[in-house]
Amino acid sequence: MTFDKKTLLVSLGDEAGLSLAAEMLRGGELVIFPTETVYGLGASAYDADAAYAVFEAKGRPHDNPLIVHVAKPEDAESIAYTNKLYYRLARAFMPGPITIILKKRDIIPDEVTAGGNTVGIRCPSHPVAHRFIELAGVPVAAPSANLSGRPSPTRFSHCTDDMMGRVSAIIDGGECDIGLESTVVLLTGEDSLKILRPGGVSRDALLCVVSDVTVADGLREGEIPLSPGMKYKHYAPRTPLFLLKGSRTRVTEYVKGKIAAGERCLFISYDEDSAGFGGVSISLGGADDVRSHAKRLFAALREADRIGETRTIDVIYSYAPSEGGDGLDPAIYNRLIRAANHTIVEV
């Protein structure tokens, strides 16, 4: 399939352009829009052909479901079967970086849900996303707006790099505030849920609303994924990425040793560790600034690809973040371990 669409670029603050993009989406076209997490590649959630086109534009497997974005939590009523726990979570976290899996209504075509009988509902807090969905007047089915497998886009330029000619419009909303996709949860009881994908809403935050919160294991053979990100390798830079597990001192000394041995490597590091080791580095921010690490992660992986276009890089190293705990650490670990194809080196 060839992709040679004329792509409308909508500037931040361009209300007329935003209205035109909303009209395009309502008419069956694909439109990229910003959210507080990452940029989304949107189609009308009512339009099976448009949903199919999303998979084609991304090069995404058709058995990977799309999340449906709504302007208000109560808009979920027309597309899914809600319940009391949904509204408890909505009051606490919507608009915001959470996606809630519910049983879908028949109005949502199977192309959106990869043939499953559930749909993920998300109400983004980004003002441009909210206005765009409101103008469209339909729920918007959207995965992240990147070519499948590449790091998710957190900046307008990431979207134009990947998707020019593949979509009808790209809306500029500035840099995404969170930088990692939403937390996806499955409601398992009247007061219990399971985290299918960690994100901007932490397990501890969920425990303030729900008494029982578990975390999903990996997808079993033959099982239909309920959430994006459960089945396939994601976020990978073009150069092999290795996560280094150990103290910051041991990690930086390990990288220095590799450089001294002649290895052409790139180090995704912290501000405090990026100077003086003699190689190419990209910083995620201060060592203790986990919010910055999340916000910069995908941009750092894309920058590593850009650097690799002009000089030879054989390997990328990064810290292995904590797998557990509260806050954004589990979400960062989830993305990095997939980007590294589960490759961790003890140092």
Side-chain angles (χ1 to χ4, degrees), residues 8-87:
L8 172 71
L9 302 181
V10 180
S11 301
L12 185 61
D14 179 1
E15 180 73 7
L18 198 63
S19 296
L20 179 56
E23 183 180 339
M24 288 176 169
L25 181 130
R26 192 167 53 249
E29 298 294 320
L30 304 186
V31 175
I32 291 174
F33 63 102
T35 79
E36 73 278 17
T37 58
V38 300
Y39 277 76
L41 170 54
S44 169
Y46 297 146
D47 190 327
D49 290 339
Y52 185 88
V54 167
F55 291 96
E56 294 298 296
K58 279 179 64 75
R60 178 186 176 105
H62 288 259
D63 60 350
N64 209 5
L66 308 179
I67 289 170
V68 175
H69 298 66
V70 295
K72 303 185 297 295
E74 54 268 30
D75 291 344
E77 293 289 349
S78 64
I79 58 178
Y81 294 92
T82 62
N83 53 40
K84 290 181 180 179
L85 181 52
Y86 167 79
Y87 279 106

Side-chain angles (χ1 to χ4, degrees), residues 293-313:
H293 305 167
K295 185 172 183 175
R296 296 188 187 185
L297 176 60
F298 290 142
L301 294 175
R302 285 178 173 265
E303 176 66 9
D305 281 344
R306 190 195 64 77
I307 292 172
E309 292 172 357
T310 59
R311 60 190 300 170
T312 301
I313 302 292

Side-chain angles (χ1 to χ4, degrees), residues 194-259:
K194 180 180 291 185
I195 297 173
L196 303 183
R197 181 181 72 187
V201 176
S202 69
R203 181 173 183 272
D204 276 7
L206 290 166
L207 282 169
C208 293
V209 179
V210 182
S211 63
D212 182 19
V213 177
T214 57
V215 180
D217 296 327
L219 196 66
R220 294 177 178 84
E221 186 69 29
E223 190 175 358
I224 296 174
L226 300 178
S227 162
M230 293 187 73
K231 189 169 184 178
Y232 296 99
K233 180 183 176 183
H234 284 281
Y235 320 119
R238 296 188 182 99
T239 302
L241 169 66
F242 293 84
L243 304 185
L244 304 180
K245 187 174 183 179
S247 68
R248 279 174 46 210
T249 298
R250 291 183 67 88
V251 167
T252 53
E253 289 303 316
Y254 178 89
V255 175
K256 287 178 182 178
K258 289 293 186 179
I259 292 169

Side-chain angles (χ1 to χ4, degrees), residues 98-155:
I98 189 169
T99 296
I100 302 174
I101 304 293
L102 299 171
K103 184 178 179 182
K104 80 176 184 75
R105 295 187 185 271
D106 290 342
I107 195 171
I108 297 297
D110 288 346
E111 285 79 1
V112 169
T113 62
N117 65 354
T118 60
V119 61
I121 304 296
R122 170 146 143 70
C123 180
S125 63
H126 195 294
V128 176
H130 180 270
R131 181 60 176 154
F132 171 64
I133 298 167
E134 191 176 56
L135 287 169
V138 295
V140 178
S144 55
N146 54 289
L147 293 174
S148 188
R150 290 214 68 206
S152 297
T154 58
R155 299 173 184 173

